[in-house]
PDB file of all heavy atoms in Angstrom:
ATOM      1  N   SER U  77      15.777   3.410 -11.617  1.00 74.00           N
ATOM      2  CA  SER U  77      16.364   2.421 -12.611  1.00 74.00           C
ATOM      3  C   SER U  77      16.524   1.072 -11.926  1.00 74.00           C
ATOM      4  O   SER U  77      17.275   0.986 -10.994  1.00 74.00           O
ATOM      5  CB  SER U  77      17.626   2.894 -13.304  1.00 74.00           C
ATOM      6  OG  SER U  77      17.389   3.970 -14.040  1.00 74.00           O
ATOM      7  N   THR U  98       2.250   6.790 -26.422  1.00 98.00           N
ATOM      8  CA  THR U  98       3.183   7.211 -25.471  1.00 98.00           C
ATOM      9  C   THR U  98       2.760   6.829 -24.084  1.00 98.00           C
ATOM     10  O   THR U  98       1.622   7.018 -23.750  1.00 98.00           O
ATOM     11  CB  THR U  98       3.361   8.745 -25.505  1.00 98.00           C
ATOM     12  OG1 THR U  98       3.636   9.178 -26.857  1.00 98.00           O
ATOM     13  CG2 THR U  98       4.335   9.269 -24.586  1.00 98.00           C
ATOM     14  N   PRO U 196      -1.512  24.486 -10.650  1.00 97.00           N
ATOM     15  CA  PRO U 196      -1.893  25.865 -10.124  1.00 97.00           C
ATOM     16  C   PRO U 196      -3.428  25.974  -9.981  1.00 97.00           C
ATOM     17  O   PRO U 196      -3.856  26.746  -9.145  1.00 97.00           O
ATOM     18  CB  PRO U 196      -1.331  26.843 -11.078  1.00 97.00           C
ATOM     19  CG  PRO U 196      -1.087  26.107 -12.311  1.00 97.00           C
ATOM     20  CD  PRO U 196      -0.687  24.678 -11.928  1.00 97.00           C
ATOM     21  N   ARG U 217      -8.387   4.285   4.039  1.00 97.00           N
ATOM     22  CA  ARG U 217      -9.228   5.140   3.286  1.00 97.00           C
ATOM     23  C   ARG U 217     -10.270   4.198   2.565  1.00 97.00           C
ATOM     24  O   ARG U 217      -9.916   2.993   2.214  1.00 97.00           O
ATOM     25  CB  ARG U 217      -8.393   5.769   2.170  1.00 97.00           C
ATOM     26  CG  ARG U 217      -7.636   7.050   2.625  1.00 97.00           C
ATOM     27  CD  ARG U 217      -6.942   7.699   1.472  1.00 97.00           C
ATOM     28  NE  ARG U 217      -5.808   6.941   0.875  1.00 97.00           N
ATOM     29  CZ  ARG U 217      -5.818   6.502  -0.292  1.00 97.00           C
ATOM     30  NH1 ARG U 217      -6.760   6.690  -1.150  1.00 97.00           N
ATOM     31  NH2 ARG U 217      -4.721   5.702  -0.731  1.00 97.00           N
ATOM     32  N   ALA U 264      -1.722 -27.240   0.244  1.00 98.00           N
ATOM     33  CA  ALA U 264      -0.391 -26.854   0.706  1.00 98.00           C
ATOM     34  C   ALA U 264       0.680 -27.001  -0.335  1.00 98.00           C
ATOM     35  O   ALA U 264       1.557 -26.046  -0.418  1.00 98.00           O
ATOM     36  CB  ALA U 264      -0.084 -27.740   1.965  1.00 98.00           C
ATOM     37  N   LEU U 298      10.112 -16.051   2.749  1.00 98.00           N
ATOM     38  CA  LEU U 298      10.605 -15.366   1.589  1.00 98.00           C
ATOM     39  C   LEU U 298      12.064 -15.361   1.565  1.00 98.00           C
ATOM     40  O   LEU U 298      12.756 -15.590   0.495  1.00 98.00           O
ATOM     41  CB  LEU U 298      10.084 -13.988   1.455  1.00 98.00           C
ATOM     42  CG  LEU U 298       8.522 -13.799   1.551  1.00 98.00           C
ATOM     43  CD1 LEU U 298       8.195 -12.320   1.343  1.00 98.00           C
ATOM     44  CD2 LEU U 298       7.956 -14.664   0.361  1.00 98.00           C
ATOM     45  N   ARG U 372       4.729  14.029   4.710  1.00 98.00           N
ATOM     46  CA  ARG U 372       4.952  14.490   3.362  1.00 98.00           C
ATOM     47  C   ARG U 372       5.043  13.370   2.344  1.00 98.00           C
ATOM     48  O   ARG U 372       4.714  13.620   1.158  1.00 98.00           O
ATOM     49  CB  ARG U 372       6.261  15.344   3.391  1.00 98.00           C
ATOM     50  CG  ARG U 372       6.320  16.520   4.212  1.00 98.00           C
ATOM     51  CD  ARG U 372       7.553  17.335   4.102  1.00 98.00           C
ATOM     52  NE  ARG U 372       7.596  18.324   5.153  1.00 98.00           N
ATOM     53  CZ  ARG U 372       8.298  18.342   6.219  1.00 98.00           C
ATOM     54  NH1 ARG U 372       9.184  17.331   6.454  1.00 98.00           N
ATOM     55  NH2 ARG U 372       8.218  19.394   7.138  1.00 98.00           N
ATOM     56  N   LEU U 468     -20.513 -17.344  -1.837  1.00 94.00           N
ATOM     57  CA  LEU U 468     -20.740 -18.587  -2.559  1.00 94.00           C
ATOM     58  C   LEU U 468     -22.076 -19.212  -2.129  1.00 94.00           C
ATOM     59  O   LEU U 468     -22.367 -19.197  -0.946  1.00 94.00           O
ATOM     60  CB  LEU U 468     -19.589 -19.560  -2.165  1.00 94.00           C
ATOM     61  CG  LEU U 468     -19.530 -20.826  -3.006  1.00 94.00           C
ATOM     62  CD1 LEU U 468     -19.145 -20.500  -4.491  1.00 94.00           C
ATOM     63  CD2 LEU U 468     -18.407 -21.814  -2.461  1.00 94.00           C
ATOM     64  N   ALA U 503       9.786   7.175  -0.991  1.00 97.00           N
ATOM     65  CA  ALA U 503      10.270   8.509  -0.535  1.00 97.00           C
ATOM     66  C   ALA U 503      11.740   8.555  -0.368  1.00 97.00           C
ATOM     67  O   ALA U 503      12.342   9.671  -0.337  1.00 97.00           O
ATOM     68  CB  ALA U 503       9.669   8.826   0.768  1.00 97.00           C
ATOM     69  N   LEU U 543       5.108 -24.702   4.124  1.00 97.00           N
ATOM     70  CA  LEU U 543       6.497 -24.284   4.227  1.00 97.00           C
ATOM     71  C   LEU U 543       7.335 -25.320   5.018  1.00 97.00           C
ATOM     72  O   LEU U 543       8.502 -25.083   5.393  1.00 97.00           O
ATOM     73  CB  LEU U 543       6.576 -22.938   5.031  1.00 97.00           C
ATOM     74  CG  LEU U 543       5.943 -21.794   4.277  1.00 97.00           C
ATOM     75  CD1 LEU U 543       5.974 -20.489   5.171  1.00 97.00           C
ATOM     76  CD2 LEU U 543       6.748 -21.490   2.964  1.00 97.00           C
TER      77      LEU U 543
END
Side-chain angles (χ1 to χ4, degrees):
S77 298
T98 302
R217 284 185 291 116
L298 301 184
R372 296 185 190 105
L468 193 63
L543 296 173

